[in-house]
Amino acid sequence: MSLLEVRDVHGGYGGLDILNGTDLAVEGTQIVVIVGPNGAGKSTLMKAVFGLVRVRKGSITFAGEEIANAKPESMVRRGLAYVPQEKNVFPTMTVRENLEMGAYHLKGSAKPRMEKVFELFPKLAERRNQPAGVMSGGERQMVAMGRALMIEPRLLLLDEPTAGLSPKFVDHTFEQIIAVNRLGLPILMVEQNAKHALEIADMGYVLATGKTRYRDTGANLLANREVAEMFLGG
Amino acid sequence: MWTELLQLTIYGIVLGSVLTLGAIGVSMIFGILRFAHFAHGDLMTLGAYFGLFAVGLGLPVWAALGVAMAGTALVAVVIDQTLYRRLRRTQPVILLISSFGMALAIRSVVQLVWGPNNQVYKQGIQLPHRIGDIVVKPDHLWIVGGAVTLVVAMHLFLSRTRMGKAMRAMADNMDLALITGIPAERVIVWTWVIGGSLAAAAGVFLGLDTRLHPVMGWSVLLPVFAAAILGGIGKPYGAIAGGMAIGIAMEVSTMVVAPAYKPAVAFAIMVLMLIIRPQGLFGGRS
């Protein structure tokens, strides 16, 4: 049984469907990457999984339980953590407070979990008392990921984690995603930076007009000429 | 002239204490629920009268303050859960108008229960402290001391407790708070508890400084909003500076304009602020 399984999902905002029969699965501790042209529904799919977009038809199961249209608050309890592309930190709160908020629903001290996050992102430990809003884009992305890890999730959803970052930070962020995954945490991510993302992906999905067009290992998708011409810019 | 300026500044700090306590609530409610709460002045009135009720039972004023704060917090939560909660998914302007209606309702109830006349917490004249030519009433010290204590308590709540931090998180980024699993409805209830109890304290202090009247809170609503906007609405810490600045400006202005224009001074500052720096004195939200 897959950890996350999306089957023939249709849905979107208001009366307009953006997803028109999307399929996807995350197994074990994979890194699964969703790529595709602008407007393909990549971020919408991510939001649908997290209950932020209405699913009109189809099913989404997480660890065997149906979660389509469940409330976003309940997703955190089930062990899903979602890092949105933009506005993914609490800007006037310090790094430490941002992380504490991640652990809000968990009982007991947040300290041990926070130490783990600081081990993973030593830079955050240095800046723990700074407001997140004054940090650079790359650092904010670390805060956002750290906040999500505080939930102690069973699956991490990342929406375009490298959007708007300088090339140096893009590489750095990819390294961190790999490091997080090595801890045994499966990751589902949407990426504009398709080539780079597929290089680190165990499994890749190519989405276009709200449908899953290709599904293969990251390496095979990169080697697929059709995919390269149509979706990866030749 | 300097004596007069100093004296008026002292009155301004007293008025500023009242405005600050009101403005903190307005600012927090705006930050979390995204609407201007027009019934806040009348919550202040209600708090003042709850205090009068407790004083009537023979309680000392400080204990009456506690009763007033608890009672008003409860009323604020009940109003939110029965009225505002149903309107949360509508446009903010609908909430604003409904709070306006709630303002009228509270005021009418106060007038029905306690009557339309002026009332005071205690009869008789207080002997003021004199320092040179400056006059300070003992009540003024209680008001300023009480306001400082409450502001410090609010600061500790917002900076040290889990719920206080969740409140700041929701004001900072509502969508992310939801995604993070912060229980929005529980945070909203606490927002009303804090906003309502601070409003009650503002009302009791206002009644202590002047006297109680069913429109006492409504008549300071404009300066309260001016204070919240001056400090940057949605930022409770800004409301402290805003409240003091508006209070002092209103009192000191009486050196050059007639006292009847005090609210106009607050209004002028608010309009100027909205034109020049709508994000408030301390920068915008990022």
Side-chain angles (χ1 to χ4, degrees):
Chain A
M1 182 183 66
S2 312
L3 180 63
L4 177 75
E5 195 157 357
V6 174
R7 238 178 283 143
D8 191 31
V9 161
H10 296 249
Y13 308 91
L16 192 72
D17 278 359
I18 294 177
L19 303 172
N20 299 303
T22 320
D23 299 287
L24 183 141
V26 179
E27 329 246 355
T29 59
Q30 289 178 330
I31 295 182
V32 176
V33 171
I34 309 169
V35 299
N38 279 330
K42 305 187 294 289
S43 294
T44 309
L45 174 57
M46 199 77 115
K47 285 180 185 157
V49 169
F50 207 74
L52 296 167
V53 164
R54 199 177 54 89
V55 175
R56 201 171 51 73
K57 193 183 148 211
S59 90
I60 304 175
T61 58
F62 181 69
E65 277 179 65
E66 180 66 42
I67 59 163
N69 294 325
K71 283 190 176 163
E73 299 103 285
S74 76
M75 299 299 180
V76 173
R77 265 185 279 117
R78 291 171 201 268
L80 280 129
Y82 168 58
V83 180
Q85 181 187 346
E86 287 174 317
K87 297 192 175 162
N88 51 21
V89 298
F90 299 110
T92 71
M93 302 178 81
T94 66
V95 169
R96 187 208 302 255
E97 287 170 338
N98 264 273
L99 297 180
E100 281 173 21
M101 287 299 105
Y104 190 91
H105 73 292
L106 295 171
K107 290 202 170 65
S109 169
K111 275 256 170 63
R113 279 191 296 275
M114 203 179 291
E115 287 309 318
K116 264 195 245 169
V117 171
F118 284 152
E119 249 171 62
L120 210 55
F121 308 111
K123 196 125 193 198
L124 295 188
E126 283 167 37
R127 309 232 166 157
R128 63 180 82 185
N129 293 319
Q130 264 190 27
V134 303
M135 303 177 98
S136 74
E139 289 164 346
R140 271 211 297 267
Q141 194 62 43
M142 284 184 218
V143 176
M145 260 207 264
R147 192 216 90 237
L149 292 176
M150 291 295 287
I151 291 171
E152 293 211 317
R154 295 157 72 190
L155 174 64
L156 182 61
L157 308 174
L158 301 175
D159 193 352
E160 306 216 5
T162 69
L165 298 186
S166 64
K168 195 186 104 197
F169 270 123
V170 169
D171 290 344
H172 191 56
T173 303
F174 275 117
E175 279 163 30
Q176 282 168 342
I177 291 168
I178 294 170
V180 169
N181 178 249
R182 289 232 173 94
L183 299 176
L185 179 62
I187 293 173
L188 174 63
M189 65 190 246
V190 167
E191 234 335 297
Q192 282 286 16
N193 212 323
K195 277 185 188 164
H196 205 149
L198 287 174
E199 279 165 21
I200 69 164
D202 296 302
M203 191 57 93
Y205 287 81
V206 180
L207 235 63
T209 59
K211 274 201 176 85
T212 304
R213 292 298 160 94
Y214 296 91
R215 169 209 160 117
D216 211 332
T217 62
N220 282 351
L221 282 178
L222 280 170
N224 185 327
R225 274 188 55 198
E226 214 176 334
V227 170
E229 273 169 27
M230 284 173 68
F231 302 110
L232 305 178
Chain B
M1 187 196 131
W2 290 109
T3 320
E4 194 189 358
L5 185 64
L6 191 58
Q7 182 70 64
L8 288 174
T9 304
I10 290 169
Y11 289 153
I13 291 171
V14 174
L15 177 59
S17 301
V18 170
L19 298 182
T20 294
L21 293 174
I24 288 172
V26 163
S27 213
M28 280 173 90
I29 291 162
F30 187 88
I32 288 172
L33 292 154
R34 302 275 146 203
F35 80 104
H37 186 230
F38 264 72
H40 216 71
D42 294 281
L43 276 183
M44 287 167 62
T45 309
L46 186 67
Y49 278 90
F50 278 155
L52 184 70
F53 169 74
V55 166
L57 294 178
L59 291 175
V61 173
W62 62 267
L65 176 66
V67 171
M69 288 173 72
T72 310
L74 183 67
V75 169
V77 171
V78 169
I79 291 172
D80 176 69
Q81 293 296 305
T82 52
L83 178 65
Y84 301 150
R85 185 180 182 156
R86 292 165 206 273
L87 302 171
R88 282 214 233 294
R89 283 174 199 286
T90 63
Q91 291 168 351
V93 68
I94 304 215
L95 271 164
L96 185 146
I97 299 293
S98 74
S99 76
F100 196 88
M102 193 37 83
L104 296 171
I106 295 172
R107 197 182 320 160
S108 303
V109 169
V110 165
Q111 196 158 331
L112 267 175
V113 176
W114 285 284
N117 299 320
N118 288 338
Q119 301 192 56
V120 290
Y121 286 121
K122 47 187 190 275
Q123 301 288 346
I125 297 165
Q126 280 191 311
L127 274 185
H129 303 291
R130 283 183 185 280
I131 309 146
D133 293 329
I134 307 291
V135 180
V136 181
K137 283 201 293 179
D139 279 349
H140 287 163
L141 297 176
W142 281 110
I143 292 169
V144 176
V148 169
T149 308
L150 289 171
V151 165
V152 170
M154 178 211 69
H155 165 69
L156 291 176
F157 177 78
L158 287 180
S159 62
R160 301 285 163 83
T161 69
R162 214 161 72 107
M163 180 51 72
K165 288 177 194 174
M167 238 176 234
R168 283 163 54 216
M170 265 182 76
D172 241 16
N173 188 336
M174 182 72 76
D175 294 335
L176 188 61
L178 191 71
I179 291 168
T180 304
I182 291 171
E185 280 300 324
R186 213 180 316 153
V187 174
I188 289 170
V189 166
W190 273 95
T191 306
W192 286 107
V193 167
I194 307 282
S197 54
L198 292 183
V204 169
F205 292 158
L206 188 63
L208 211 52
D209 188 30
T210 56
R211 57 206 168 279
L212 288 85
H213 189 270
V215 294
M216 62 190 282
W218 177 253
S219 63
V220 295
L221 185 66
L222 180 68
V224 163
F225 268 98
I229 287 167
L230 188 63
I233 195 154
K235 300 192 194 86
Y237 291 100
I240 301 165
M244 282 300 157
I246 296 283
I248 292 169
M250 281 172 72
E251 293 295 344
V252 170
S253 73
T254 59
M255 287 175 80
V256 280
V257 295
Y261 289 110
K262 275 199 259 182
V265 171
F267 187 67
I269 295 174
M270 182 172 87
V271 169
L272 269 179
M273 200 61 194
L274 285 172
I275 294 170
I276 304 168
R277 260 186 96 75
Q279 71 274 41
L281 283 174
F282 310 105
R285 34 183 345 121
S286 41

